[in-house]
Amino acid sequence: MTALARLLRTTAFKLSLLYLAVFTGLSGFLFVSISRNTDTLMTEQVVQTVDAEIEGLADQYARGGARALVTAIDSRARRPDASLYLFVDFAGNVLAGNISRLPTTVLEEADGGVRRVKYARGDGETEREAVVRTFEVPGGFRLLVGRDLGEQTRFRDILGGALRVWLIVVVVLALVTWAFVSRRVLKRIDAIAASSRQIMDGNLSQRLPLAGNGDEFDRLAISLNAMLERIEQLMQNLRDVTDNIAHDLKTPLTRLRTRLETTLSEARGEADLRESMEATIEDSEGLIRIFDALLRIARVEAMSPDGGLQPVDVAAIAEELADLYAPVLEDEGGSLKLDLRPVQTALGNRELIAQALVNLIENALKYARSENGQPLAITVMVRQEKDRILLSVADNGPGIGVKDRDRVLDRFVRLEQSRTEPGYGLGLSLVRAIARLHGGALALEDAGPGLKAQIDLMVAPAAKAGGEEIDGTDRS
């Protein structure tokens, strides 16, 4: 009973009832319309037939009088058809015809009008319906000519039977459709509900099932799965930040506390206290910078993918930063080469794209110095492939091994050869978050020698439509 009540409350059941009512109403309307039109048409044909009979009998009467009319009616009344005749004298005595029982008022109202009457041909027969005309003939005679409506009655019965069969078929099909749709829809809904319960229980990796037929449930599930993936990513980022703070900040905080305790117990004068306080302030500023970097990454990852994105001239950003960092490399005996190809405007956030490029250049400055003493060479390239704009920074340093390229993108990850350099291992994490925000990714590749870091950006829709391009040249 519970399952039946559940089925009766479903949308599929309500829609089935609605469709059944609509189809039943339409079928009834169609039946009534066909029945009425057919009845009208057949009645007109009957009246035309009666009028033709009357014309023929009038010719007979004109030629031979009442005797010829009686002879013609006797001849026609013996035919096995639906025509009806009755010829009586002034006293109501039947002179000729094939009707035995008829309402008396029909003969009394001999005005030639069309009437529907009940009659019987024989004494033992049941009454039937006919269309008749009654005329008064000179000499006190009265003539009735009509046509039986049995064919119309049978046709209406056939239509009624067809309608009943049709309604039965509609009801059966509605029940079958309801059962199939209810079973299918409820099965899909139960699967979605089961997945939703797992997600509510904390399993954010669970996704709504797909049937693979591309129906509305699949389209809804795809949208919800994308939303769940985004939520899972944000929650994972939050857990990562929490774990990183718990593990990677414990050491500097412990060191800070130890220094303060040592100062309190071993300080011998104002100089020692000042030195300890300056070191403590420096460590505190480092912690603040770490928190700022983590918050910046979290804010970028929490931003809407299309929030605040506008057409951006990536080549102009690269050229500005190249002008800023080129003197720094020249002072250290290195060089920065700018390779700009013709590209369209990108869809992005100008400040974040500039921040990503700054981080990549800073990473190259810190970690890409060659071990054999060769001058550091950094190449900043902007190019376009179809509807993606590629922004890359390549160097001629030692590079990063293939097995470590994915790992260095995580927070606080620093390779052994770079632990002596300043930094916290958050720069590439921020670049990756910025790339994801712009619908792209950060890829680390071998520059032969050195490392090539590349992010891809979307072409702005207006640039796609108009084919706008920004001239770029190869310069250094």
Side-chain angles (χ1 to χ4, degrees):
M1 293 298 294
T2 303
L4 179 60
R6 184 185 176 193
L7 286 175
L8 294 179
R9 289 195 302 267
T10 60
T11 303
F13 177 74
K14 296 176 183 178
L15 288 177
S16 298
L17 285 182
L18 176 62
Y19 294 153
L20 178 61
V22 170
F23 279 115
T24 302
L26 289 177
S27 300
F29 172 77
L30 184 63
F31 168 75
V32 171
S33 178
I34 292 177
S35 178
R36 287 183 177 179
N37 292 334
T38 303
D39 188 68
T40 300
L41 178 62
M42 296 184 71
T43 300
E44 291 177 354
Q45 293 178 345
V46 167
V47 171
Q48 292 176 1
T49 302
V50 170
D51 291 342
E53 292 281 351
I54 292 173
E55 290 180 2
L57 293 176
D59 291 340
Q60 294 293 330
Y61 181 79
R63 293 175 184 174
R67 186 181 298 277
L69 185 58
V70 169
T71 303
I73 290 176
D74 284 338
S75 175
R76 296 187 181 190
R78 296 188 182 94
R79 298 175 185 173
D81 58 14
S83 297
L84 302 174
Y85 308 94
L86 186 63
F87 187 50
V88 298
D89 59 13
F90 64 93
N93 298 316
V94 177
L95 302 179
N98 55 3
I99 298 176
S100 64
R101 190 166 65 252
L102 185 75
T104 57
T105 57
V106 175
L107 294 175
E108 293 174 358
E109 299 176 357
D111 55 0
V114 177
R115 292 184 177 85
R116 284 177 178 263
V117 299
K118 298 290 185 179
Y119 79 98
R121 290 198 178 193
D123 293 335
E125 292 186 2
T126 58
E127 288 188 342
R128 303 170 70 176
E129 189 176 17
V131 170
V132 300
R133 285 183 184 271
T134 306
F135 299 90
E136 186 174 353
V137 180
F141 301 102
R142 296 180 183 275
L143 173 65
L144 180 148
V145 180
R147 187 81 174 177
D148 186 84
L149 297 179
E151 294 180 357
Q152 289 179 259
T153 304
R154 286 193 298 273
F155 185 76
R156 282 197 299 269
D157 293 340
I158 292 173
L159 282 181
L163 177 62
R164 287 190 292 272
V165 173
W166 168 250
L167 291 179
I168 293 174
V169 172
V170 168
V171 171
V172 172
L173 290 178
L175 293 175
V176 172
T177 304
W178 166 63
F180 173 77
V181 172
S182 297
R183 180 181 179 86
R184 181 179 177 84
V185 171
L186 286 179
K187 185 177 180 181
R188 296 289 299 277
I189 292 177
D190 289 341
I192 292 175
S195 299
S196 301
R197 284 191 293 269
Q198 294 185 35
I199 293 171
M200 288 187 292
D201 290 339
N203 183 13
L204 294 180
S205 62
Q206 180 66 32
R207 295 293 180 267
L208 301 181
L210 299 175
N213 52 15
D215 60 4
E216 59 276 9
F217 283 100
D218 270 7
R219 294 196 297 271
L220 177 61
I222 290 172
S223 299
L224 292 178
N225 285 340
M227 179 186 68
L228 291 172
E229 184 174 356
R230 177 63 175 164
I231 292 175
E232 182 187 15
Q233 179 184 350
L234 294 176
M235 294 298 295
Q236 184 62 44
N237 292 337
L238 180 60
R239 284 194 292 265
D240 290 343
V241 170
T242 305
D243 293 342
N244 291 331
I245 291 175
H247 292 86
D248 294 271
L249 297 183
K250 183 177 181 180
T251 299
L253 288 173
T254 303
R255 186 172 62 249
L256 185 64
R257 178 180 177 180
T258 302
R259 180 184 297 112
L260 292 174
E261 291 177 346
T262 302
T263 301
L264 288 175
S265 62
E266 300 179 0
R268 297 179 180 178
E270 184 179 349
D272 291 344
L273 291 174
R274 178 176 292 277
E275 182 180 355
S276 176
M277 291 180 65
E278 289 176 352
T280 301
I281 291 173
E282 184 177 352
D283 289 345
S284 299
E285 290 178 349
L287 291 174
I288 292 173
R289 286 194 294 271
I290 291 176
F291 278 109
D292 287 341
L294 290 174
L295 290 175
R296 191 179 305 115
I297 294 172
R299 281 196 295 267
V300 170
E301 291 177 339
M303 290 176 64
S304 173
D306 57 352
L309 302 186
Q310 299 176 350
V312 176
D313 188 348
V314 179
I317 295 175
E319 192 168 9
E320 291 175 7
L321 294 179
D323 293 339
L324 179 64
Y325 280 95
V328 178
L329 271 82
E330 291 175 359
D331 291 343
E332 299 182 2
S335 63
L336 190 149
K337 179 182 179 183
L338 185 62
D339 186 0
L340 300 181
R341 311 290 176 85
V343 296
Q344 296 172 327
T345 55
L347 182 64
N349 183 297
R350 192 179 193 283
E351 294 181 359
L352 293 179
I353 294 174
Q355 180 67 62
L357 185 55
V358 166
N359 283 21
L360 294 179
I361 296 176
E362 290 282 356
N363 271 14
L365 285 171
K366 291 178 183 178
Y367 310 119
R369 301 186 186 281
S370 177
E371 296 178 352
N372 56 13
Q374 290 184 353
L376 175 62
I378 298 177
T379 301
V380 178
M381 176 182 290
V382 179
R383 60 190 177 91
Q384 181 173 341
E385 289 185 359
K386 297 182 180 179
D387 60 345
R388 308 297 295 182
I389 295 177
L390 307 180
L391 174 61
S392 63
V393 175
D395 58 64
N396 61 342
I400 299 177
V402 176
K403 63 180 181 179
D404 294 324
R405 289 177 185 170
D406 290 335
R407 190 167 65 90
V408 296
L409 301 180
D410 296 331
R411 296 180 178 91
F412 296 107
V413 174
R414 303 183 70 192
L415 302 180
E416 291 298 329
Q417 62 269 26
S418 61
R419 288 196 176 272
T420 57
E421 298 292 339
Y424 307 102
L426 297 173
L428 291 180
S429 298
L430 179 58
V431 175
R432 181 175 63 175
I434 293 173
R436 285 178 176 175
L437 175 65
H438 290 80
L442 169 61
L444 302 181
E445 304 172 357
D446 188 4
L451 179 70
K452 177 183 177 182
Q454 176 177 281
I455 62 175
D456 59 302
L457 309 170
M458 294 183 295
V459 174
K464 287 182 184 179
E468 175 190 353
E469 291 189 351
I470 300 174
D471 293 335
T473 55
D474 187 357
R475 66 192 76 174
S476 58

